[in-house]
Amino acid sequence: MTEENKSSGISRRTVVKGIGATLGAAAFAKAIAPLASWAADQSIDEFLQKHYTELKPEQMQKVIKRLEEDAKKDYGADVQITDTKAQLGVKFGYALNLSICVGCRKCAQACHYENNHDRASGNSYIRVLEMKKGSLDIEHGKVDYKGPVPKSDSFYMPVQCQQCDNPPCVDVCPVEATWKEKDGIVAVDYNWCIGCRYCEAACPYHARRFNWTKPEIPKEEINPVQGYLSNRIRPQGVMEKCTFCMHKTREGKLPACLEACPTGSRVFGNLLDPESEIRWVLENKRVFVLKEELGTKPSFYYFFDE
Amino acid sequence: MKASPLIAPATIVAVAIVFASGWWIYQRSFASFQEASAPANIEVTLDKSIRHEVTIQGTPATPTVLADLSKSGRQTEVACTTCHTTRSPQTDQKLPEDLDEFHQGLKKQHGSLSCLSCHNADNYDTLRLADGSAVSFENTMQLCAQCHGPQFRDYTNGSHGGMNGYWDLSRGPRTRNACNVCHDPHAPAYPQLIPVFPPKDIELIKQKQGHPH
Amino acid sequence: MNKPAPENALSPHIPGHLNSYPRFIWRMMVMATEGNWLFYAWMIGLSAIALVGLNAWATQVTMGMGVTNMTDHVSWGLYIANFTFMVGLAAGGVMMVIPAYLYHDHDMHDVVIIGELLAIAAIVMCISFVVVDLGRPDRFWHMLPGIGKFHFPVSMLTWDVIVLNGYLLLNLHICGYLLYKRYRGERPNPKFYIPVVFLSIGWAISIHTVTAFLYQGLGGRPFWNTALLAPRFLTSAFVSGPAFIILALEAIRYLSDYKVGDGAIRILVNIMRVTILINLLMLASEVFTEFYTGGSHTAAAHYLYFGLHGHNALVPWIWSSIALTILAAILLMRPNVTQHPVMLILACGLAFAGIWIEKGMGLIIPGFIPSTLHEIVEYTPNGIEWRVTAGIWAAGLMIYTIAIRVAMPIFSGEVSLEKDAEKHA
């Protein structure tokens, strides 16, 4: 505020400012130094990659090649990534028989290995709730129950992505990184998601997970059969979710959680096929969906035997 | 400010904009889920000409027991009929505790059934249906289904019992478990087990953030 | 931004815009780096904190957000809490503008720019808090309409991006235009800023409403899913905004030679007297609905106010917030509060802190506890999060300090094109 005199004051002040600016710049460089190692890991192709729906087949081939090379480089694993599209006339549905689920959590475990989840955090798309008989209020659910199961006063409710027909997670995404596929699966483009986690806040079923770190998986445990929108190893800092094992189910196979279920409480199939098992369940059992009052219209149904 | 002659057209334009954007928002956000709520009208185009097989695995073979029949100290596998053709069945015996020889230690927790409800006294290498007809061990499920109708109905409709393979049988086969894979015929209640894969994240979070409980 | 306005009466000794606008910019940059020892110490201290925050953020980007204490259960934490609060502060700045322009209050006209500059600094902080919360800040361009995919109008976050950036541009325009005109020694042409001022008043309401809609539109989070959320956001913003401006005015009064009239402070106190009571009333209304009705939808409120199943990490926070707000309300209700600067500063400080806790730890975090599957996983911010947050606050305060440091001499006429020309001659 004070007016400096023109002779020596300016030069001294200028010198001090210069020193200050130099020190400041040095401190700034030091502060952002950790970014250097991160930036070295990013490729320009990855940075400029277009949205899934805008990739032409030949571009997709290039992307897949790059991802397979990355898996080799980062994890030492030879993986095959495919991008199978939704089949016409198929809409996936899932039903779960709460009367025969014993709460063994083998589905959650199978999910963990099938979908190349981070080993350190023990991630899985499925959470199994131990519920007291007499209430369907999940407030009375417990996830860290211990054995032996099933307990006589409890029933067990595995919860995963409900593949809603009116998915709140899709609505809230600011960049359309998540959307509903034609066969009903809510997919995520792991290379488009910006990691704002709005979808995680919006999902009423705790179905979405964030990659808080780069997934750690030993080379020999990596599942090499991978889908682009499904179980390929996810990058750090993006959302992921259950895709009903799209890499398997779009090939006509059953999802991993169903195959792991020892009791057969899980029923999977094509909702558009009147002769499918899932349609038999919907027509012959009294099914319900979770949090129906929210209007999310799940494709995942629960039922009890009579 | 003075009222400008532009007020009226400006208001009309503003109202038009509000309605247009309202319609646009409706189209983009809400119209989509009306479509989704009526998916059943879409024509199914699946090819059903090919149908792969569903194999039932784990059905029991005709049982045998290890016995030292020659008293030589060497045990050999022998069929049930080896002894049971020479002995008359004891129809009054209902409890496994009353049985001797190989049957000792057998636990039966299967309602009020007696041994001969299922085992065929006329031919112990087969089982016996309620109408008295024999059924092979390979076809045990017919026997179970006599009493466990709802379970058998659910099983045949794919909503009971573990399976592997393809949901789409036009593209591949499926393997299913027989009843006895999970249910011991003598004590069919599904056994209690220790759950695997406890959720690790909760413990990790507690450690990291140092929260009690 | 500040496009040269067509001239009505150009005095012969005033140069054209091509000449004066670069000089205006240059003069502001020079002023931004000049000051007394207190200014330098303040700025160096803030720079140091900002750099520590920058370093923490760089670590977070490199190692992944797992270095924070956020989890899949509590997936938004201190960053989004601060973001929410800062939106309120930005909107609160408008409480200077309404009396000045809507009611032609003369005391306000002289200091209205303090509120507009606060809005600028607060919006920059908001945007920073969103950016540090992103898992992939390198993909920020995915949101740009045209080259990316902008999920408008369905995603409320896209609305927020529009209103926040729009508000920033509006305020940059108003402040830049007014300062430039003052610098040239001309009367600002009402055509070029009055419509923008009125737009900015509506816009200020919109930024906090849209930000509330971000949360209140989520059906899966009953704690947020209440129609009262947006009105509560606004009232609390109109407490924290004026509180901060009073603190800034008092600081200017004590640390510089500029005269700050009592009139402006009196109006702001009167505004706070109303808004702080409405805020408490709305709080009471929320608490009544939650606890009188009961049921599992109120689990989050139970957790927040009293703890749930032995978990009570947020209980001290919310009760401190309520205590601070009530105390501030009592102090503000005293008729002579404007005559006692210490009491006034205390009241504003308490109100500011109370709202900060309420909008942050008291609103964002309990929305996630218990989780949608009713798991109780608690959250307390860790060192990285506090450092990044402190860094952004420091950067915001730097922006605000510089803005006021530059604006006050120009606004008071101490620095002008004419005086600069004389000096150089």
Side-chain angles (χ1 to χ4, degrees):
Chain A
M1 265 166 246
T2 49
E3 287 297 323
E4 66 274 9
N5 58 18
K6 283 203 169 182
S7 53
S8 65
I10 276 195
S11 64
R12 201 184 68 206
R13 182 163 278 212
T14 312
V15 167
V16 171
K17 275 188 188 176
I19 293 171
T22 314
L23 283 176
F28 184 84
K30 185 93 183 126
I32 59 163
L35 283 178
S37 69
W38 174 80
D41 249 12
Q42 314 298 314
S43 72
I44 191 77
D45 287 343
E46 190 190 334
F47 178 72
L48 293 176
Q49 186 179 322
K50 286 195 277 185
H51 187 272
Y52 175 79
T53 51
E54 287 173 358
L55 285 173
K56 295 188 189 79
E58 65 273 13
Q59 290 172 317
M60 182 47 111
Q61 282 316 309
K62 271 190 179 166
V63 168
I64 283 177
K65 195 162 166 286
R66 193 189 75 224
L67 291 171
E68 287 174 345
E69 282 163 5
D70 284 353
K72 182 76 183 166
K73 193 171 71 164
D74 295 352
Y75 294 90
D78 293 302
V79 304
Q80 298 83 47
I81 300 174
T82 51
D83 178 37
T84 313
K85 303 288 180 194
Q87 195 185 348
L88 198 66
V90 173
K91 183 175 188 290
F92 290 123
Y94 217 139
L96 204 146
N97 187 343
L98 295 170
S99 293
I100 58 178
C101 173
V102 291
C104 65
R105 283 196 294 243
K106 281 185 182 150
C107 50
Q109 187 181 42
C111 175
H112 178 74
Y113 289 104
E114 178 71 33
N115 288 305
N116 292 313
H117 279 297
D118 176 39
R119 294 296 181 260
S121 60
N123 195 15
S124 168
Y125 295 139
I126 304 175
R127 261 179 131 66
V128 186
L129 299 174
E130 183 179 72
M131 311 262 289
K132 287 279 167 275
K133 285 180 181 169
S135 171
L136 270 174
D137 190 342
I138 52 176
E139 196 190 355
H140 305 128
K142 189 176 175 205
V143 291
D144 52 348
Y145 60 88
K146 295 179 176 61
V149 292
K151 289 166 199 155
S152 57
D153 61 347
S154 302
F155 68 95
Y156 298 84
M157 185 157 82
V159 182
Q160 64 205 76
C161 177
Q162 312 278 306
Q163 315 292 359
C164 308
D165 281 348
N166 182 26
C169 53
V170 168
D171 285 351
V172 299
C173 180
V175 295
E176 297 178 29
T178 187
W179 64 91
K180 202 157 164 70
E181 287 273 296
K182 287 212 170 63
D183 52 7
I185 304 300
V186 176
V188 178
D189 183 349
Y190 308 127
N191 279 38
W192 191 259
C193 170
I194 59 172
C196 72
R197 306 190 298 292
Y198 195 9
C199 55
E200 196 166 25
C203 174
Y205 305 102
H206 188 62
R208 292 188 158 249
R209 304 283 187 277
F210 184 66
N211 284 279
W212 298 97
T213 55
K214 190 182 166 86
E216 271 173 42
I217 318 162
K219 175 187 162 192
E220 58 279 3
E221 287 181 21
I222 287 175
N223 177 5
V225 183
Q226 300 184 355
Y228 182 84
L229 292 177
S230 175
N231 65 334
R232 70 177 162 102
I233 304 169
R234 273 77 68 194
Q236 171 176 298
V238 303
M239 292 307 303
E240 58 175 38
K241 63 180 287 300
C242 165
T243 61
F244 281 177
C245 284
M246 212 192 270
H247 56 286
K248 296 186 79 188
T249 48
R250 281 192 177 172
E251 308 291 342
K253 294 175 184 158
L254 290 162
C257 47
L258 186 145
E259 293 195 304
C261 179
T263 66
S265 19
R266 290 169 169 271
V267 184
F268 180 82
N270 180 6
L271 288 170
L272 302 185
D273 176 3
E275 288 160 33
S276 65
E277 284 88 356
I278 182 79
R279 281 287 286 273
W280 184 85
V281 168
L282 297 190
E283 280 151 27
N284 291 282
K285 302 282 184 180
R286 277 153 297 182
V287 299
F288 68 95
V289 294
L290 282 188
K291 306 195 183 186
E292 187 176 8
E293 71 277 12
L294 299 180
T296 50
K297 299 188 187 290
S299 305
F300 199 106
Y301 303 87
Y302 293 91
F303 64 100
F304 290 94
D305 283 336
E306 56 270 81
Chain B
M1 283 192 208
K2 265 183 273 174
S4 148
L6 282 173
I7 287 273
T11 314
I12 292 167
V13 168
V15 169
I17 289 172
V18 167
F19 273 90
S21 48
W23 177 246
W24 184 46
I25 292 170
Y26 171 79
Q27 281 299 315
R28 288 212 55 178
S29 52
F30 303 112
S32 63
F33 88 86
Q34 291 180 337
E35 269 167 45
S37 45
N41 302 331
I42 301 171
E43 202 188 330
V44 177
T45 57
L46 290 178
D47 177 15
K48 292 226 173 158
S49 54
I50 316 160
R51 203 171 157 83
H52 289 265
E53 232 173 291
V54 178
T55 323
I56 294 174
Q57 63 100 21
T59 45
T62 311
T64 54
V65 289
L66 281 175
D68 180 13
L69 292 178
S70 55
K71 312 276 181 219
S72 65
R74 240 186 50 234
Q75 295 209 316
T76 46
E77 270 193 31
V78 292
C80 305
T81 41
T82 312
C83 300
H84 278 292
T85 41
T86 59
R87 301 178 188 192
S88 60
Q90 294 168 298
T91 48
D92 54 331
Q93 280 194 3
K94 289 204 167 172
L95 299 172
E97 292 77 40
D98 303 334
L99 297 170
D100 47 17
E101 295 175 90
F102 323 105
H103 307 304
Q104 273 177 13
L106 185 85
K107 280 229 156 51
K108 184 192 74 73
Q109 283 170 328
H110 199 160
S112 57
L113 296 182
S114 70
C115 308
L116 295 181
S117 304
C118 301
H119 290 283
N120 187 356
D122 298 331
N123 176 1
Y124 276 92
D125 284 340
T126 63
L127 296 164
R128 178 180 169 278
L129 295 178
D131 65 359
S133 60
V135 64
S136 71
F137 274 89
E138 282 79 6
N139 291 325
T140 315
M141 287 177 57
Q142 275 184 44
L143 180 74
C144 308
Q146 297 178 122
C147 298
H148 302 287
Q151 282 82 353
F152 186 67
R153 178 201 61 202
D154 290 356
Y155 182 91
T156 40
N157 288 291
S159 61
H160 188 124
M163 60 173 82
N164 278 282
Y166 286 74
W167 64 265
D168 183 0
L169 288 174
S170 69
R171 285 200 272 180
R174 191 183 301 171
T175 318
R176 307 200 55 187
N177 290 335
C179 306
N180 57 289
V181 173
C182 298
H183 303 288
D184 178 346
H186 296 121
Y190 196 86
Q192 278 201 321
L193 38 86
I194 302 299
V196 296
F197 206 68
K200 207 169 161 187
D201 55 339
I202 297 181
E203 270 318 304
L204 290 173
I205 293 163
K206 280 178 194 162
Q207 281 168 24
K208 190 174 157 194
Q209 307 202 6
H211 290 302
H213 309 293
Chain C
M1 247 297 62
N2 303 288
K3 292 243 174 64
E7 276 315 304
N8 308 334
L10 187 64
S11 343
H13 66 278
I14 293 181
H17 292 292
L18 274 178
N19 183 316
S20 72
Y21 195 69
R23 276 167 76 178
F24 166 68
I25 298 289
W26 174 247
R27 191 68 174 92
M28 288 204 297
M29 284 166 66
V30 171
M31 280 198 288
T33 53
E34 271 171 12
N36 56 15
W37 66 270
L38 188 64
F39 174 75
Y40 280 118
W42 172 246
M43 292 303 279
I44 287 170
L46 290 178
S47 309
I49 298 171
L51 286 174
V52 167
L54 185 66
N55 180 255
W57 177 67
T59 310
Q60 178 192 295
V61 170
T62 309
M63 311 287 290
M65 298 196 79
V67 298
T68 70
N69 265 0
M70 285 184 272
T71 58
D72 280 325
H73 300 84
V74 184
S75 49
W76 282 338
L78 194 61
Y79 301 151
I80 295 299
N82 273 282
F83 157 76
T84 313
F85 176 75
M86 293 318 301
V87 175
L89 201 53
V94 83
M95 271 299 158
M96 305 277 287
V97 183
I98 291 175
Y101 290 98
L102 233 44
Y103 299 109
H104 302 291
D105 187 290
H106 285 286
D107 293 329
M108 275 305 197
H109 253 291
D110 294 336
V111 287
V112 66
I113 199 146
I114 307 265
E116 283 158 348
L117 293 173
L118 173 66
I120 293 174
I123 292 286
V124 171
M125 288 171 72
C126 287
I127 294 167
S128 310
F129 274 117
V130 172
V131 169
V132 298
D133 193 62
L134 291 182
R136 296 302 298 231
D138 55 319
R139 296 185 185 165
F140 199 75
W141 68 271
H142 290 181
M143 218 192 254
L144 301 178
I147 56 167
K149 280 202 176 267
F150 195 59
H151 197 196
F152 186 80
V154 179
S155 170
M156 285 320 292
L157 205 50
T158 57
W159 286 75
D160 221 24
V161 169
I162 291 173
V163 294
L164 288 179
N165 286 299
Y167 194 58
L168 180 62
L169 294 179
L170 290 179
N171 279 291
L172 279 173
H173 169 75
I174 297 167
C175 295
Y177 179 73
L178 290 180
L179 285 177
Y180 180 56
K181 279 302 198 187
R182 290 267 180 151
Y183 182 68
R184 279 176 65 94
E186 293 166 351
R187 263 182 76 83
N189 183 347
K191 261 202 289 186
F192 288 101
Y193 80 104
I194 291 292
V196 184
V197 167
F198 280 94
L199 185 60
S200 83
I201 291 172
W203 209 284
I205 311 286
S206 83
I207 61 168
H208 219 16
T209 308
V210 168
T211 305
F213 285 178
L214 280 185
Y215 312 111
Q216 86 183 57
L218 304 182
R221 307 270 173 197
F223 185 71
W224 295 336
N225 194 211
T226 154
L228 195 55
L229 204 69
R232 262 191 85 187
F233 268 41
L234 286 170
T235 37
S236 64
F238 296 152
V239 177
S240 60
F244 191 84
I245 293 167
I246 291 175
L247 293 175
L249 289 176
E250 293 286 348
I252 291 169
R253 188 184 265 183
Y254 285 101
L255 301 175
S256 76
D257 309 327
Y258 300 106
K259 289 191 180 65
V260 177
D262 275 342
I265 290 180
R266 213 175 301 122
I267 289 171
L268 288 172
V269 167
N270 280 337
I271 291 170
M272 282 180 76
R273 280 174 175 160
V274 177
T275 53
I276 202 167
L277 287 188
I278 298 179
N279 193 42
L280 283 169
L281 175 74
M282 288 183 173
L283 174 79
S285 173
E286 284 264 50
V287 167
F288 169 79
T289 313
E290 297 277 14
F291 290 99
Y292 194 82
T293 312
S296 60
H297 278 185
T298 62
H302 266 279
Y303 170 74
L304 175 63
Y305 290 103
F306 302 110
L308 195 65
H309 306 312
H311 301 273
N312 45 25
L314 290 183
V315 175
W317 289 91
I318 193 66
W319 288 108
S320 335
S321 162
I322 292 173
L324 291 170
T325 314
I326 291 177
L327 205 58
I330 292 170
L331 289 178
L332 285 172
M333 286 311 135
R334 295 175 59 128
N336 56 356
V337 68
T338 43
Q339 270 106 60
H340 293 85
V342 176
M343 201 200 285
L344 183 63
I345 289 169
L346 184 67
C348 290
L350 294 176
F352 190 77
I355 302 292
W356 182 80
I357 296 173
E358 187 207 300
K359 281 287 148 293
M361 298 305 275
L363 182 100
I364 301 306
I365 315 303
F368 292 100
I369 308 173
S371 79
T372 47
L373 293 185
H374 284 277
E375 289 178 60
I376 300 180
V377 176
E378 302 206 271
Y379 164 82
T380 34
N382 71 3
I384 291 270
E385 290 169 88
W386 281 117
R387 267 179 272 166
V388 171
T389 303
I392 293 174
W393 273 87
L397 283 173
M398 277 168 82
I399 293 170
Y400 193 47
T401 311
I402 290 175
I404 288 182
R405 166 78 194 85
V406 169
M408 289 310 282
I410 296 178
F411 224 67
S412 66
E414 191 185 301
V415 170
S416 68
L417 190 60
E418 207 175 351
K419 286 187 183 163
D420 282 357
E422 277 169 22
K423 211 182 341 163
H424 284 284

